[in-house]
Amino acid sequence: MGKTLIKNAHIVTESKVFDANIVINNHKIEQITDSITESNFDSIIDASSYIALPGAIDPHVHLFLPTPAGYSSDDFESGSLAALMGGTTTFIDFVTPLAGQSLAMALQERISEAQTSLLDHSFHVSPVSWTDATAKDMKECLKQGITSFKVYMAYRKTIGLSDEALFNVLKTAAALNAIVCVHAESGDQIDGLAEHFVSQGHTQPLYHSLSRPDDLEAQAVDKVLNMAAQTHCALYIVHVSSAKSLQHIRRAKQNGQLVYAETCPHYLLLSDERYQQDFTESSKYVMSPPLRKPQDNQALWEALADGTLDTVGTDHCPFTLTQKDEGQHDFRKIPNGIGGIEHRLTLLYTYGVLKQRISLQGFVQLVATNPARIFGLYPQKGTLQAGSDADIILWNPNARRIISAGNQFQNCDYSIYEGMETRGYPEMVFLKGKLQVKNNNYIGDNLKGNFLPRK
Ligand code: URP
Ligand code: ZN
């Protein structure tokens, strides 16, 4: 593949902003240097009008997720392409075993399913029950390069864990030096509220949100933080949506607990008035947790700036309008999830960096470096330094675009961000040294990504 020079780059990493030249040799960054002679390169790109950023890592996506309403509408090929077009060069998806299936077996199946991915990827593996075999099974996953497990406190009728099972997973993960990702919502109470609303004839999407109040998220956050402290387990709380949850996370961090937390662009930018519309409109926003109040949006921005939140993932899990229609007469049948994998960077740059809610270096931390560090991918991914994979974004800070279902790459017939204006975009994206995206066109040759065993 040879050598590429990206010259005159304005480089932003979590620790530095500086001007230099990036030398790529095959898949890797060979050198970042002030001085360079321009001979001996197969290609030279002048990056003087761009910002050079590390390729971003989305720590939370659900591609080709099986549900009663069918698979989430992006498979590994379409979802990874959408990610790439938005500047995400690595993602972490999930392994959810069928009842009775071993975690290690489910992992192997998921690795095969993901072979069409254009991007390097890994998985969080979900113990969905606790049996005599689970501890050994988790250890086997660790041997296969899995350092993070995901548990659900919601969805108690299917994959959600009891408190006892949750405690066992945390204890086992701690012994393995692994981290546990948790979907923190009190599942039993939510199921009770949902049943009550439906029995009263309240079947519209609004009642999805009313059955999942912020108190039930905060209560679950508090509970799992205490359990993680007791078991000395490192914790990562996914898709934090509410100001009340942040208070518990802030306190735990102040007490020195090893806890990380994630939010998503939709919890920063959208709020629960979206549920006050007809079925077709409001069902688009059915996700768990639901959208909250504008005060929560504000609290989440502040928590990104003060370090209470560590990452921004997307929880990308789109369903088409036809799939959402499954819940016309009962909100519980609407598949939960929204798409956003390709808009994470432009949204966070426009509404975070340009509105001075976060710094440019903070942006790099949230979308790339922190996910890499937390999930054992650093420094191969998530940074620009000699020896790292040459996953590089050349960001055009001046571009203006409007998000629309009509021009998105993700496979869905709507966008929850329809009509929102964005500034800046990844005009060029390199994957392991090869230029794959140029001016909003995929110019790659269908190069496939790899499963990344983690340490
Ligand atoms: O509504 C959501 N978040 N759907 C995806 C699955 C999950 O709960 O993370
Ligand atoms: Zn999720």
Side-chain angles (χ1 to χ4, degrees):
M1 200 168 74
K3 278 184 125 175
T4 301
L5 171 65
I6 301 178
K7 67 176 186 180
N8 306 321
H10 184 65
I11 299 172
V12 179
T13 67
E14 65 165 359
S15 58
K16 275 206 286 189
V17 179
F18 61 110
D19 293 331
N21 306 296
I22 304 171
V23 177
I24 300 171
N25 192 353
N26 284 318
H27 300 308
K28 297 278 183 189
I29 297 176
E30 184 174 80
Q31 209 187 0
I32 297 186
T33 175
D34 284 343
S35 60
I36 202 83
T37 41
E38 291 191 18
S39 49
N40 298 332
F41 287 100
D42 300 296
S43 71
I44 298 179
I45 289 172
D46 185 352
S48 43
S49 49
Y50 302 98
I51 303 170
L53 305 169
I57 299 170
D58 194 331
H60 188 160
V61 312
H62 303 268
L63 302 175
F64 200 55
L65 175 78
T67 78
Y71 286 92
S72 56
S73 58
D74 262 322
D75 61 19
F76 281 94
E77 190 167 5
S78 64
S80 62
L81 174 63
L84 176 63
M85 298 309 294
T88 290
T89 51
T90 304
F91 63 84
I92 312 183
D93 198 285
F94 295 86
V95 173
T96 314
L98 301 170
Q101 189 182 29
S102 81
L103 300 174
M105 181 66 76
L107 171 62
Q108 285 312 314
E109 280 185 18
R110 196 74 173 144
I111 290 173
S112 293
E113 274 175 358
Q115 277 175 0
T116 54
S117 170
L118 302 176
L119 303 182
D120 286 352
H121 51 273
S122 184
F123 300 99
H124 310 290
V125 172
S126 284
V128 293
S129 63
W130 184 263
T131 70
D132 291 347
T134 309
K136 200 162 155 238
D137 211 3
M138 287 172 68
K139 195 167 175 185
E140 182 53 38
C141 290
L142 192 82
K143 279 195 211 146
Q144 294 181 27
I146 297 299
T147 60
S148 53
F149 295 91
K150 161 89 179 280
V151 293
Y152 295 84
M153 297 169 82
Y155 311 134
R156 290 279 291 116
K157 291 190 176 128
T158 50
I159 54 176
L161 294 182
S162 67
D163 288 354
E164 195 188 343
L166 173 56
F167 193 83
N168 286 332
V169 171
L170 292 166
K171 213 165 55 173
T172 305
L176 297 174
N177 216 6
I179 187 167
V180 170
C181 306
V182 59
H183 176 145
E185 285 187 295
S186 298
D188 289 326
Q189 282 107 311
I190 287 169
D191 290 344
L193 279 174
E195 217 160 292
H196 169 73
F197 285 133
V198 172
S199 74
Q200 302 291 304
H202 298 311
T203 58
Q204 309 92 312
L206 170 66
Y207 290 90
H208 167 80
S209 90
L210 296 179
S211 66
R212 311 184 89 95
D214 57 354
D215 280 327
L216 292 186
E217 180 186 290
Q219 185 187 83
V221 165
D222 188 29
K223 184 197 267 187
V224 72
L225 279 168
N226 287 329
M227 289 167 104
Q230 281 165 35
T231 51
H232 305 287
C233 185
L235 198 64
Y236 178 91
I237 305 177
V238 301
H239 53 44
V240 175
S241 69
S242 74
K244 286 179 184 164
S245 298
L246 292 171
Q247 290 175 13
H248 296 297
I249 296 163
R250 202 169 271 128
R251 173 188 42 79
K253 286 194 171 202
Q254 279 162 1
N255 291 341
Q257 190 170 342
L258 190 54
V259 55
Y260 304 99
E262 165 199 279
T263 193
C264 311
H266 44 280
Y267 298 122
L268 292 162
L269 295 168
L270 307 178
S271 56
D272 63 358
E273 85 278 348
R274 304 270 169 156
Y275 299 115
Q276 307 281 354
Q277 306 176 82
D278 66 18
F279 178 86
T280 304
E281 272 309 303
S282 57
S283 63
K284 291 178 181 172
Y285 304 93
V286 167
M287 83 269 297
S288 296
L291 298 173
R292 305 292 188 196
K293 303 276 176 216
Q295 307 85 282
D296 294 290
N297 301 153
Q298 177 60 24
L300 292 167
W301 281 116
E302 285 162 16
L304 287 179
D306 73 16
T308 305
L309 291 169
D310 300 280
T311 66
V312 176
T314 59
D315 197 4
H316 180 78
C317 190
F319 294 96
T320 62
L321 288 172
T322 308
Q323 289 177 296
K324 292 277 183 186
D325 267 353
E326 289 286 310
Q328 276 276 3
H329 305 294
D330 183 343
F331 66 82
R332 295 173 299 182
K333 296 192 177 140
I334 304 171
N336 281 211
I338 56 90
I341 202 165
E342 88 192 75
H343 303 305
R344 180 175 59 133
L345 270 60
T346 49
L347 287 169
L348 206 59
Y349 181 80
T350 307
Y351 297 96
V353 176
L354 296 184
K355 290 205 179 280
Q356 300 186 337
R357 290 162 158 155
I358 54 171
S359 68
L360 195 50
Q361 285 174 261
F363 169 67
V364 169
Q365 250 179 351
L366 292 165
V367 301
T369 318
N370 283 351
R373 278 191 203 286
I374 295 167
F375 294 116
L377 295 168
Y378 185 89
Q380 182 186 353
K381 306 285 188 187
T383 187
L384 295 180
Q385 60 178 257
S388 297
D389 283 356
D391 295 342
I392 302 168
I393 297 172
L394 296 183
W395 185 266
N396 174 347
N398 300 315
R400 281 173 186 268
R401 306 178 73 206
I402 306 276
I403 296 180
S404 172
N407 64 23
Q408 69 188 2
F409 286 84
Q410 60 199 37
N411 183 32
C412 196
D413 46 2
Y414 68 94
S415 166
I416 59 166
Y417 303 112
E418 185 73 35
M420 284 179 73
E421 190 179 349
T422 59
R423 295 277 300 277
Y425 90 123
E427 191 168 305
M428 288 185 236
V429 185
F430 292 79
L431 268 188
K432 289 185 284 189
K434 281 188 101 176
L435 186 61
Q436 302 289 294
V437 174
K438 197 170 176 190
N439 298 332
N440 207 35
N441 289 306
Y442 175 65
I443 59 162
D445 39 15
N446 249 2
L447 194 78
K448 297 298 178 220
N450 295 315
F451 169 67
L452 294 167
R454 295 180 274 139
K455 293 204 182 87

